[in-house]
Amino acid sequence: MSVTPKPEGRHHHGALREALLAALAEIVLERGPEAVTLRECARRAGVSHSAAAPHFGDKRGLLTAFALQGEERLAQAMRDALAALPGNAGPEARLAATGRGYIAFARAHPAHFRLMFRTDLIDRADPAWCNAVGQSFALLSDAMAAVRPGMDARARRARLALAWAGVHGFCTLRAEGTGDLWTPEVAEDLIALLVAACAAPVRTPSAEDRAPS
C-alpha cells in the first residue's frame, strides 16, 4: 500500500513515525534496502528532512526502527500460530507452529523480511532491537528444547540452525519468485520434514567421527 504524501505539519507525532516507516517499506520493495534514505522517506511522508530526523536521528536509526518493528511482528506471528493450536498439542506440533508463523510473517511483511536480517545496515547494539530478536528466537528455541529434552548444546544448536535455515530459505526463495515450487502444500511438507529431523534421536559422535582425517 502506497504512502499518500501529507502537507507538512499535518502529522501527529506517532502518525509521522508510522508514515516514515511505511515510506521505508515502499522503498525497500521498489529498490532495495540500500536505496533507503531519511530524506526520501520524509519526502514520501510529506514532511521536511528536519521534521523527520528527530524520530530516528539518522538512516541507521531509521533502518533499526524498521527492523525492530519486523522482529516484533515476527514474534507475534509465531505466538499467533502457537495460540491457534489445540490445548493438547504436543511439542512437535508446537515446533511446526513456529515455522508456520515465520512463513506467515514473511508473506504478510515482505519489506520487513527483506531488511531485518541485513545486520550490516542496522545498529546491532540497540537494546530494543536486541530484546526483540531474543524474544522471537526464544519461541523457536523453547519449542526445540521441548521436542528433544536433554539434548546437548551442540545438538541443539545444529537443530536450531536446520529449522531456521530451512524455513528462512523457503521464505527467501518464495519472495524471489523462483518457480512454482513454493506453495502452501510444499511449505507444510517442508515443515513436517524439518520437525521430523529435529525430533530424531541425537546421534553421539563415535571416536572415528572425532578423529582428524
Side-chain angles (χ1 to χ4, degrees), residues 35-48:
V36 173
T37 66
L38 189 56
R39 189 174 300 278
E40 175 61 12
C41 289
R43 186 194 69 77
R44 292 189 183 213
V47 299
S48 67

Side-chain angles (χ1 to χ4, degrees), residues 30-198:
E30 290 170 7
R31 293 153 47 198
E34 293 83 1
V36 173
T37 66
L38 189 56
R39 189 174 300 278
E40 175 61 12
C41 289
R43 186 194 69 77
R44 292 189 183 213
V47 299
S48 67
H49 178 267
S50 61
H55 291 268
F56 306 105
D58 57 14
K59 174 183 174 178
R60 186 171 292 274
L62 173 65
L63 293 171
T64 302
F66 192 72
L68 166 61
Q69 189 180 65
E71 291 290 348
E72 291 172 342
R73 291 180 178 181
L74 169 60
Q76 189 58 53
M78 294 168 75
R79 291 190 194 100
D80 290 344
L82 287 164
L85 294 173
N88 62 348
E92 292 186 20
R94 294 185 65 80
L95 180 59
T98 65
R100 290 192 198 98
Y102 198 106
I103 291 171
F105 161 78
R107 178 183 287 278
H109 304 286
H112 287 89
F113 180 74
R114 187 170 177 182
L115 173 71
M116 60 194 279
F117 299 99
R118 289 292 307 273
T119 54
D120 56 318
L121 299 177
I122 66 178
D123 178 8
R124 291 179 289 176
D126 180 80
W129 177 80
C130 292
N131 180 63
V133 170
Q135 288 190 30
S136 58
F137 187 72
L139 293 166
L140 170 60
S141 183
D142 292 348
M144 186 68 71
V147 164
R148 179 58 64 176
M151 75 176 86
D152 62 27
R154 178 176 175 178
R156 183 167 169 270
R157 285 194 300 269
R159 291 168 192 233
L160 285 168
L162 173 64
W164 190 0
V167 172
H168 185 81
F170 174 88
C171 293
T172 300
L173 290 167
R174 185 181 64 184
E176 292 174 352
T178 52
D180 299 326
L181 177 61
W182 318 109
T183 65
E185 292 78 14
V186 172
E188 278 298 312
D189 292 344
L190 171 68
I191 289 171
L193 288 169
L194 291 171
V195 169
C198 291

